[in-house]
Amino acid sequence: MRKNRVMKKGLGRATLEFKRLKYFIAVAEELHFGRAAARLEMAQPPLSRQIATLEKEIGAQLFDRARSQIRLTEAGAVLLDRARDILDDLDSAYREVELIGRGGAGRLRVAFVGSATHGVLPSLIKSYRSHYPHVDLSLSSMNNAELERGLIQRDIDIAVARPNLQGDEFRSMALHHEPLILALPDNSALAGQSLPIKLADLDKETFVLYPRRPRPSFADHILKVCEGEGFTPVDQIFAQDYQTAISLVSVGVGLAMVPKSVSNSPRAGVLYRSYEGNNPGTSLTVHARRDNRKPQVLQFFDIIEKYTRKRT
């Protein structure tokens, strides 16, 4: 209780000191107590008492009152410069804190699966930046397990997962759904054939799957798609992430099933083809902790809502 009284007393004193600095600046600029009092919308006697108290506390005379028109002393001139800086800094601090409180500044940490960079995510990030240019936007690539751990440990604010993250503690929103396509080595016989490629005919092909761990993952989603066509790839090569997987395809190690959006970014040595057969597609979802009420997080979800509404 005593601590609270001391804190309140300290805050009250600080508020009073700032007021006295404002009073002092008004008198120093007007060099007339009457005009300064009118500018401050207060009576002259209380203003004179406040300046006298300020001089007593500082231990220096701030105004030379010996002449018909008051003048600043050397100490007063120094205080005027410092007082202006102090109040400008305080005003700037208030504006900055207010901006952060409204989500217009501050920091937002967004992490995403690697394949998301080829789809709607870049446009979404661009839209967010255009609305909130002063927010420090931190971007990083993670797999689903890292995304989930990052949210739980509060290392990130937003997670963009494929297909989703599980957990009642997460607020989630669908971002985008798209079909699967094949990523083929450009020297593959499949890449050159004119007939439609049937998924069921690929049972003897080498499938490049990702990620290697943790499981279950997008790799298991692809294996289930193949199972829907009645086969499990005999030859399976696992890569840790999408970028490694597509690199393996480019050098002829095998083929991969990928989101259609990755075909928007051509890769040397890789051709993209649609196929006939089981194609449940794949989704991107956005997640945040339900208890993360940062304005930047809430505004990011607002941008998603507007963006998805615009696309439909």
Side-chain angles (χ1 to χ4, degrees):
M1 188 75 175
R2 175 177 173 77
K3 183 178 179 182
N4 288 338
R5 285 200 300 268
V6 170
M7 289 178 65
K8 288 179 180 178
K9 183 178 180 181
L11 289 173
R13 180 180 176 85
T15 301
L16 182 58
E17 295 298 343
F18 284 125
K19 281 186 177 180
R20 283 180 181 150
L21 287 180
K22 289 183 179 179
Y23 297 157
F24 165 73
I25 290 173
V27 177
E29 290 179 345
E30 298 291 342
L31 292 177
H32 191 283
F33 277 92
R35 289 195 298 269
R39 169 174 156 180
L40 294 167
E41 297 182 345
M42 63 186 297
Q44 181 176 333
L47 176 59
S48 298
R49 288 195 295 271
Q50 290 292 341
I51 296 300
T53 301
L54 179 61
E55 289 177 318
K56 183 178 180 181
E57 289 185 348
I58 291 176
Q61 186 176 347
L62 302 175
F63 296 98
D64 181 0
R65 301 171 176 82
R67 299 175 178 83
S68 59
Q69 182 179 5
I70 65 172
R71 295 184 181 182
L72 280 170
T73 64
E74 183 177 354
V78 170
L79 182 59
L80 179 59
D81 288 339
R82 299 292 177 86
R84 283 168 172 165
D85 290 341
I86 290 169
L87 294 183
D88 284 347
D89 287 345
L90 181 63
D91 187 55
S92 177
Y94 280 158
R95 289 198 304 269
E96 183 178 353
V97 171
E98 180 189 14
L99 188 61
I100 292 173
R102 290 188 284 106
R107 189 181 185 202
L108 182 67
R109 300 162 299 173
V110 180
F112 47 85
V113 292
S115 61
T117 60
H118 300 279
V120 299
L121 183 60
S123 296
L124 179 63
I125 295 297
K126 184 177 181 181
S127 178
Y128 181 83
R129 282 192 183 280
S130 68
H131 282 83
Y132 305 101
H134 300 297
V135 172
D136 178 10
L137 196 57
S138 173
L139 304 174
S140 56
S141 177
M142 299 181 180
N143 61 39
N144 274 10
E146 292 168 333
L147 291 173
E148 183 174 353
R149 184 166 59 250
L151 286 178
I152 291 173
Q153 296 179 350
R154 303 180 188 274
D155 293 329
I156 59 175
D157 300 305
I158 298 287
V160 182
R162 188 185 296 280
N164 53 50
L165 300 179
Q166 302 296 328
D168 294 336
E169 69 270 37
F170 299 147
R171 175 189 180 185
S172 304
M173 182 180 293
L175 178 58
H176 182 61
H177 186 82
E178 58 187 314
L180 295 166
I181 59 172
L182 299 172
L184 307 168
D186 60 2
N187 60 358
S188 166
L190 290 169
Q193 75 176 41
S194 57
L195 296 175
I197 300 174
K198 296 183 178 181
L199 182 59
D201 294 339
L202 304 180
D203 56 323
K204 300 295 191 299
E205 297 290 331
T206 298
F207 276 66
V208 180
L209 303 165
Y210 63 92
R212 179 184 297 109
R213 57 181 180 274
R215 305 284 291 277
S217 65
F218 184 71
D220 297 283
H221 177 61
I222 298 304
L223 291 173
K224 287 182 180 179
V225 173
C226 294
E227 289 173 8
E229 285 295 313
F231 76 95
T232 298
V234 176
D235 293 323
Q236 301 176 14
I237 302 293
F238 281 86
Q240 186 52 37
D241 53 39
Y242 160 75
Q243 295 294 345
T244 305
I246 209 70
S247 295
L248 292 175
V249 173
S250 71
V251 297
V253 171
L255 62 83
M257 296 182 71
V258 297
K260 184 179 180 181
S261 57
V262 305
S263 63
N264 297 331
S265 303
R267 175 68 179 264
V270 180
L271 292 177
Y272 298 100
R273 295 285 185 271
S274 59
Y275 68 87
E276 292 183 353
N278 184 29
N279 194 336
T282 178
S283 297
L284 283 176
T285 50
V286 182
H287 309 264
R289 290 181 62 102
R290 290 188 184 277
D291 60 359
N292 188 344
R293 306 299 294 177
K294 288 174 59 174
Q296 295 85 355
V297 171
L298 302 180
Q299 288 163 350
F300 193 85
F301 275 89
D302 287 341
I303 292 292
I304 294 172
E305 288 183 356
K306 293 175 183 176
Y307 187 81
T308 53
R309 196 182 308 126
K310 191 176 180 180
R311 289 173 56 87
T312 56

